[in-house]
Amino acid sequence: MSAQAAVFHSGSLDESKPGDPLAYISASRLKSFLTCRLRFFYEKVLGLKAPASPALQIGKAVHAGLQHFNLARWRGGDTSPAATLQAYDKAYGELEVQGPVDYEGKDRTECIDTGQRVLDAYLGSDLASDPRRILGVEAYLRREEGLPLPLVGVLDLVLEGNVPVDFKTVASTPVLEDEAWQNELQLTAYHLLMQDATGEEPGQGELVYLTKTKAPKIVKQVLPPVTQVQIDRLKALIDVYADGVSREDYHPSPGMSCRWCSYRTQCAAWAGSKVRKAVGMAA
Amino acid sequence: MSVNLEMSYAKKVGLPEYSSHNFSVSLKTEVARLEDVSGEVERVYRLLQTAVDEQIVNPGFVPGHEQSAPAPKNGVDDSKPWKCSDKQKALILKVVAENKLDRVEVEQLAVTRFGHGVALLNKLEASGLIDELLGKTGRSSAKKAGAFRPFEQRRAA
């Protein structure tokens, strides 16, 4: 099976199953590794399942709705709100079958309604009728050269001018400066992928935020052009990843992110190099 | 005041073996008033389209139809350079072969979606084509989006 057929599944990189962490690098893998190596080990290397949060559940289902809408625009399918919401509902149900959702006391119906409101807001916005030609939807790209590991990414949307667009569902109105910082690695990775895939200089990346507020807002952010420093920085961090993974250096990074980490039970059993034994005990 | 108009009409048509041919006709004309532009454009469009259509039905040399050269295995010339990666090329050929897809239809799809034939698709475009082919053959999420007519399977020889 080819790389694309193997890792491209349901509109995203299928990183839910255990996999060789040196087979390729993605922005998701890199960010997970840099946030906490032990969490990365549990989640991406061992593929330990953790219940999805409501935010993740809604985000993935909204993503599926957007995928349907943009594919339909591109390929001449049904772009109606009804068809888009149907795709959303279907994805929501399928995701629940694939893995449990920890609703944390939140009402499931309210969560479903939130996603629907967000999609409705997008479909009613100017961005839904962006006049730029669509060049790709859920575009799987893989760059083999110039990096210690193949770089892989699935771009939500690519518009005329080789502009990569990524959709983000967020809880509140985004602080754009913070978001640009948070998403720098991802957009720099997309820049490298687009450069390789088209042989041309990519356009400036765009982030589209869909806020899950009571009256959802759609905010577009055009990021500054990717700089050589950002590219060098990404490459250096990929080096750190390749080196750390090669040495199986997976240690915890206690900090703020522990508050919403699903692997605290396993993490508590970690004791230096006995990581694998600890996982076995926890399981 | 006269208004100069420059118009061209181009059409690209897919041919067997992932090839294609295209033809365009350009024309310069002049109208006296701005109000005449719309009508003149409509007239010239019809004229150019007819001219192109009358000629493009003659494809001339068609790869795979040569009498002297032996036909490559499976009718696909794998030695022809493609712009996408080798892996993408292999996957496209595999999906086409395994699902007995009509190669002319696949070529036409590439031209419709990306403006050029399969061999000229860059990696981004090839990725889009692969996803659509996988969707049409029931192997990816694209099928979930519905509304897309699956390819008819090519008849077995």
Side-chain angles (χ1 to χ4, degrees):
Chain A
M1 186 180 281
S2 76
Q4 175 153 342
V7 303
F8 183 60
H9 176 73
S10 296
S12 62
L13 285 175
D14 187 9
E15 294 181 333
S16 60
K17 299 185 182 79
D20 177 3
L22 292 175
Y24 67 88
I25 181 78
S26 64
S28 162
R29 281 187 169 188
L30 182 58
K31 198 160 184 185
S32 173
F33 178 83
L34 295 172
T35 303
C36 176
R37 294 181 182 204
L38 190 57
R39 183 198 160 107
F40 166 84
F41 176 71
Y42 294 141
E43 188 181 12
K44 307 284 189 186
V45 182
L46 296 185
L48 296 184
K49 291 272 184 191
S53 66
L56 182 63
Q57 171 74 7
I58 295 169
K60 281 186 171 179
V62 167
H63 192 276
L66 293 170
Q67 179 186 354
H68 165 89
F69 175 74
N70 286 315
L71 276 175
R73 276 188 74 201
W74 192 27
R75 297 175 182 171
D78 186 351
T79 57
S80 68
T84 303
L85 290 174
Q86 190 181 4
Y88 163 80
D89 286 336
K90 188 166 178 245
Y92 200 101
E94 286 174 352
L95 286 163
E96 284 183 321
V97 171
Q98 284 169 23
V101 182
D102 180 1
Y103 280 100
E104 303 158 358
K106 289 183 180 166
D107 183 71
R108 177 179 176 274
T109 308
E110 268 183 33
C111 289
I112 293 174
D113 289 348
T114 298
Q116 289 176 343
R117 279 202 313 275
V118 163
L119 270 177
D120 269 336
Y122 178 81
L123 296 175
S125 74
D126 290 345
L127 295 183
S129 52
D130 194 316
R132 290 173 293 180
R133 200 159 54 92
I134 293 176
L135 302 181
V137 175
E138 299 301 319
Y140 170 92
L141 298 179
R142 182 180 174 99
R143 179 175 177 146
E144 300 278 355
E145 290 163 8
L147 298 163
L149 297 173
L151 176 63
V152 165
V154 178
L155 283 60
D156 289 348
L157 181 64
V158 181
L159 293 174
E160 189 176 347
N162 295 328
V163 174
V165 180
D166 200 69
F167 295 105
K168 306 281 184 196
T169 47
V170 292
S172 56
T173 305
V175 179
L176 297 184
E177 195 179 338
D178 290 348
E179 294 293 343
W181 176 257
Q182 289 288 333
N183 295 293
E184 180 195 304
L185 287 180
Q186 184 184 12
L187 271 296
T188 306
Y190 287 179
H191 178 90
L192 290 180
L193 287 168
M194 286 291 296
Q195 215 175 33
D196 176 69
T198 64
E200 297 168 10
E201 203 54 21
Q204 290 170 241
E206 294 179 8
L207 294 172
V208 175
Y209 306 98
L210 300 93
T211 69
K212 294 178 286 183
T213 44
K214 286 209 169 175
K217 281 185 281 188
I218 309 300
V219 180
K220 182 176 99 170
Q221 180 182 24
V222 180
L223 295 166
V226 171
T227 65
Q228 190 57 48
V229 172
Q230 288 173 312
I231 292 171
D232 292 342
R233 178 181 164 86
L234 175 67
K235 288 180 177 176
L237 289 171
I238 293 175
D239 281 336
V240 170
Y241 172 96
D243 177 59
V245 170
S246 301
R247 290 187 289 105
E248 297 187 317
D249 179 7
Y250 302 122
H251 57 76
S253 302
M256 288 287 283
S257 60
C258 297
R259 288 187 180 180
W260 47 86
C261 180
S262 306
Y263 300 97
R264 279 166 65 166
T265 306
Q266 293 92 331
C267 180
W270 182 86
S273 59
K274 297 176 184 172
V275 56
R276 286 209 164 71
K277 190 178 174 186
V279 169
M281 287 164 61
Chain B
M1 180 194 78
S2 65
V3 180
N4 292 320
L5 297 174
E6 283 189 35
M7 288 170 271
S8 70
Y9 181 88
K11 185 169 276 184
K12 192 168 195 172
V13 177
L15 293 174
E17 309 301 332
Y18 300 110
S19 63
S20 62
H21 75 150
N22 62 76
F23 183 56
S24 67
V25 177
S26 299
L27 184 145
K28 288 182 184 176
T29 186
E30 193 175 287
V31 292
R33 301 173 309 159
L34 278 174
E35 298 82 64
D36 297 334
V37 168
S38 177
E40 181 66 0
V41 166
E42 189 180 344
R43 186 186 73 79
V44 173
Y45 182 85
R46 274 204 307 272
L47 181 71
L48 295 182
Q49 188 177 54
T50 303
V52 169
D53 285 350
E54 282 174 353
Q55 299 307 317
I56 207 163
V57 293
N58 304 308
F61 167 75
V62 177
H65 288 187
E66 309 94 307
Q67 296 300 315
S68 53
K73 194 177 176 185
N74 299 326
V76 176
D77 183 1
D78 288 352
S79 63
K80 186 191 283 185
W82 289 29
K83 271 186 81 177
C84 64
S85 73
D86 291 343
K87 285 180 182 175
Q88 288 178 314
K89 176 182 175 182
L91 181 56
I92 290 170
L93 293 173
K94 185 180 170 189
V95 172
V96 168
E98 282 185 353
N99 296 282
K100 298 184 172 61
L101 301 180
D102 185 327
R103 291 191 178 94
V104 176
E105 204 174 344
V106 173
E107 181 71 13
Q108 195 59 55
L109 173 65
V111 172
T112 304
R113 199 71 75 225
F114 305 105
H116 38 247
V118 175
L120 294 176
L121 299 180
N122 64 29
K123 289 182 190 175
L124 172 67
E125 294 162 339
S127 176
L129 180 71
I130 289 168
D131 187 39
E132 191 158 355
L133 293 180
L134 291 174
K136 284 174 185 289
T137 55
R139 289 172 58 187
S140 91
S141 59
K143 196 182 174 201
K144 290 179 189 169
F148 309 122
R149 183 179 61 85
F151 277 124
E152 289 175 11
Q153 291 210 330
R154 196 181 58 199
R155 283 184 193 164

